Amino acid sequence: IYLHQVRGFSVVTAGLVLSTIMAVAAAMGLVAGAAIDRFGGRQVLVAGSILSAIGYTGMAFVTEPWQAFGYSIVAGIGTGVASGAGPTLVSALVPAAARPSAFALARVAVNLGIGLGATTGGLIAVTSRPGSYEVLYLMDGLTFVLFSLIVMALVPDSRARPTAAGSGAAPVGAARPVSDGLRTVLADGPFVGLLAANVVFVIVGFVLFGNILPPFAKSETQVAERGIGIAFLVNTLFIVVAQLPIARLVRSRRRAPLLAAMSAVWALACLAILPSPALPGLAATALVAIAGIAFGIGECLHGVIIAPTVADLAPPELVGRYMSLLGGSSLAGLALGPALGAALLTVSPAGPWVAGAFAVALAGAAVLRLGDRIPKAAVALANG
């Protein structure tokens, strides 16, 4: 809206600017991971946040497309760096048995931030007042600066992560050549398989619901805009309420079957949307809201399984690389998903949902085949 209606860029150019942020962020995985392993998660997280502050603050002042692309590259670097540094820092600060709960709490915070951010943006930004968008971007940049100050003041400079047993520590900051680290990562079959599956998980579990469902519901069903908003509200509230209980429920259980169950839930959520065009407005709205809850269940499982599993798979001196590549795979899914979903939607209204159900079921089956090569969750501490 800002780049097209306020700055006068074409829709295609505006879309490419936004895609540039995600594409650059996804490409930062290995470079950021090497920096995290060398310098520690806190320093790299702060550096990424400062770069994001520069990138998004600069968006307030763009008047030409080349300026927007330049700031989007800076913002993408910051996003890609922080996406690996944050989870690495979380995994280093808590015992292995507490990681699912820690990542669950982080996911709750993220969803609350998304909801508050969307609400704030809707209250501030008005296309008839271009200056309101400039204020919004300046506030966005300020949040990154404040976050950096809080991290520097309150978060310890942890260069160690607990062992799988939850006691002792292994060095995170040990230097290793980038080429050696890359060879080790690429030789880790379960991790590479999990990365590939995660791209599918993000496309189906996050992008189809977040990006493809609104235009589908608007054009193919009798669900009104308010009904679409209700479905998103139900999804968000469910995640906020259920994330921590689900983390406790899956604690100490085998992760490969849980990932397969998550995939099955998302597949059913996709298939549940298919009858909605044939239903009257109220029934279609209720069905979409129920599908939103199902997508939320999958999101909760994803939030407490994927990152702790990767942290346990990673050699101690390479945890930054592993977590950064995981973040890169999620960003790749976010970048690819809207284009793939939109293309399928133009072919057939049912296309995204049928293809999504098939793809995520296949990804879940592939993870299930890895079996014992995916580490089981560490046994929870008695006081956890």
Side-chain angles (χ1 to χ4, degrees), residues 206-377:
F206 294 85
V207 175
L208 287 190
F209 179 74
N211 297 88
I212 304 303
L213 180 62
F216 167 83
K218 183 72 172 73
S219 61
E220 303 296 335
T221 75
Q222 298 183 40
V223 178
E225 287 88 346
R226 182 175 297 178
I228 298 172
I230 290 173
F232 277 89
L233 177 63
V234 168
N235 171 267
T236 300
L237 291 177
F238 177 85
I239 293 171
V240 170
V241 172
Q243 182 71 84
L244 290 175
I246 286 178
R248 289 192 292 268
L249 181 66
V250 304
R251 183 183 292 171
S252 303
R253 300 182 186 276
R254 293 179 60 198
R255 287 164 173 163
L258 286 173
L259 289 171
M262 175 194 75
S263 302
V265 169
W266 273 335
L268 291 174
C270 288
L271 295 177
I273 292 175
L274 290 175
S276 59
L279 298 176
L282 183 60
T285 300
L287 184 61
V288 170
I290 292 171
I293 293 176
F295 275 105
I297 293 172
E299 289 181 46
C300 289
L301 289 170
H302 184 275
V304 299
I305 299 172
I306 292 288
T309 301
V310 170
D312 290 344
L313 279 169
E317 72 277 11
L318 295 177
V319 64
R321 288 173 171 87
Y322 273 64
M323 299 306 290
S324 290
L325 288 173
L326 174 65
S329 71
S330 296
L331 292 167
L334 292 174
L336 292 172
L340 292 175
L344 289 169
L345 195 60
T346 59
V347 174
S348 168
W353 314 112
V354 174
F358 176 77
V360 77
L362 189 63
V367 172
L368 189 59
R369 282 182 60 86
L370 293 174
D372 292 337
R373 300 176 70 189
I374 297 293
K376 179 183 176 182

Side-chain angles (χ1 to χ4, degrees), residues 181-189 191-192 322:
L182 178 61
R183 283 194 292 268
T184 301
V185 170
L186 294 180
D188 190 339
F191 173 64
V192 173
Y322 273 64

Side-chain angles (χ1 to χ4, degrees), residues 68-118:
F69 279 111
Y71 284 119
S72 70
I73 291 173
V74 176
I77 294 172
T79 300
V81 168
S83 69
T88 301
L89 194 55
V90 171
S91 67
L93 291 172
V94 300
R99 283 178 189 148
S101 296
F103 281 107
L105 187 60
R107 182 62 65 91
V108 170
V110 167
N111 278 280
L112 283 173
I114 291 172
L116 291 173

